[in-house]
Amino acid sequence: MMKSTLKKIYRTLLLIQMSPFLVWALLKNKLPYSNYKNITIAMSKFTGEKGVILRQYFYKLTLDSCGHNLRVHYGAFFVYPYVKVGNNCTVEEYSIVSLCDLGDDVIIAARVSIMSGGNHHEIDKLDIKFVDSLLPLKKVKIGSNVWIGTHAIVMNDIPDGMVVGAGSVVTKVFQPDSIIAGIPAKVMRKRGKS
């Protein structure tokens, strides 16, 4: 009984500490995305298990949907609130997750960048400056039971059961249950076959 009461008190104190961020973030439809990004960067600086729990509550309240047991580690953050996250997902240190949907049981290793597609600016019209040439963003879909290795850059969808090798750059869609690696990423082999 005592342990349960202490746990409730601890969670209440965490929510109080997080309240300024929540008020700001809950205005997501009234504020430009850069404000949400600034909040999530600030939230990423809380350390240890306390930080993981704070981010868990924060994203549960501010993302479009968020399953149970999301673990976002120090320095990692979501850029947009218009993201759906499944159950048992982990985002490790210093990873950046842009506009995407994550399935269940996804592991995003440290320093991964999940981009909103690969074409963010017009590059062929010489009379338009890059800052004035924002193209529509793509919502990247990450399937279930996916492991994305350290320093990978993801610009396209990742189907179920995939392994993305460390340092890979994913520019196209592959078959489910593939192990991919390289720049640009290519199939190394199918899972379950040695």
Side-chain angles (χ1 to χ4, degrees):
M1 183 72 161
M2 182 71 163
K3 187 176 180 181
S4 174
T5 303
L6 287 174
K7 195 173 186 179
K8 286 179 184 176
I9 292 169
Y10 181 69
R11 287 185 176 177
T12 302
L13 291 173
L14 288 175
L15 283 172
I16 291 168
Q17 185 175 8
M18 189 173 60
S19 61
F21 297 106
L22 287 174
V23 170
W24 197 9
L26 290 172
L27 298 171
K28 69 182 182 183
N29 293 326
K30 296 179 174 57
L31 298 171
Y33 94 88
S34 60
N35 287 330
Y36 186 80
K37 182 179 175 181
N38 290 335
I39 297 166
T40 61
I41 290 170
M43 288 294 298
S44 78
K45 302 306 179 192
F46 289 95
T47 59
E49 190 63 20
K50 175 179 121 176
V52 171
I53 293 168
L54 278 170
R55 287 183 287 278
Q56 205 170 59
Y57 280 117
F58 178 80
Y59 288 123
K60 189 89 164 163
L61 293 170
T62 62
L63 293 178
D64 275 354
S65 71
C66 182
H68 68 274
N69 199 30
L70 170 64
R71 295 187 59 81
V72 180
H73 293 272
Y74 179 81
F77 62 93
F78 288 85
V79 176
Y80 302 98
Y82 313 108
V83 170
K84 294 179 182 175
V85 177
N87 298 317
N88 303 314
C89 292
T90 300
V91 182
E92 294 184 4
E93 292 81 1
Y94 300 104
S95 289
I96 301 169
V97 182
S98 290
L99 194 61
C100 73
D101 289 338
L102 302 178
D104 296 330
D105 307 303
V106 173
I107 298 172
I108 299 171
R111 301 186 187 276
V112 168
S113 179
I114 298 179
M115 300 173 60
S116 306
N119 298 314
H120 294 197
H121 301 277
E122 172 58 56
I123 60 172
D124 289 319
K125 293 183 180 174
L126 300 178
D127 58 328
I128 298 177
K129 295 178 182 161
F130 292 125
V131 295
D132 297 326
S133 69
L134 294 176
L135 297 174
L137 299 176
K138 173 187 174 164
K139 189 171 218 182
V140 171
K141 309 277 191 218
I142 308 293
S144 294
N145 193 31
V146 170
W147 174 22
I148 302 173
T150 301
H151 287 279
I153 298 171
V154 177
M155 294 188 246
N156 216 324
D157 299 345
I158 307 278
D160 294 344
M162 296 275 296
V163 175
V164 179
S168 299
V169 177
V170 181
T171 58
K172 65 181 186 176
V173 180
F174 296 90
Q175 292 298 310
D177 299 316
S178 296
I179 299 171
I180 62 173
I183 304 173
K186 62 183 181 183
V187 176
M188 299 289 107
R189 65 180 175 90
K190 289 289 273 185
R191 290 181 59 216
K193 299 177 182 180
S194 312

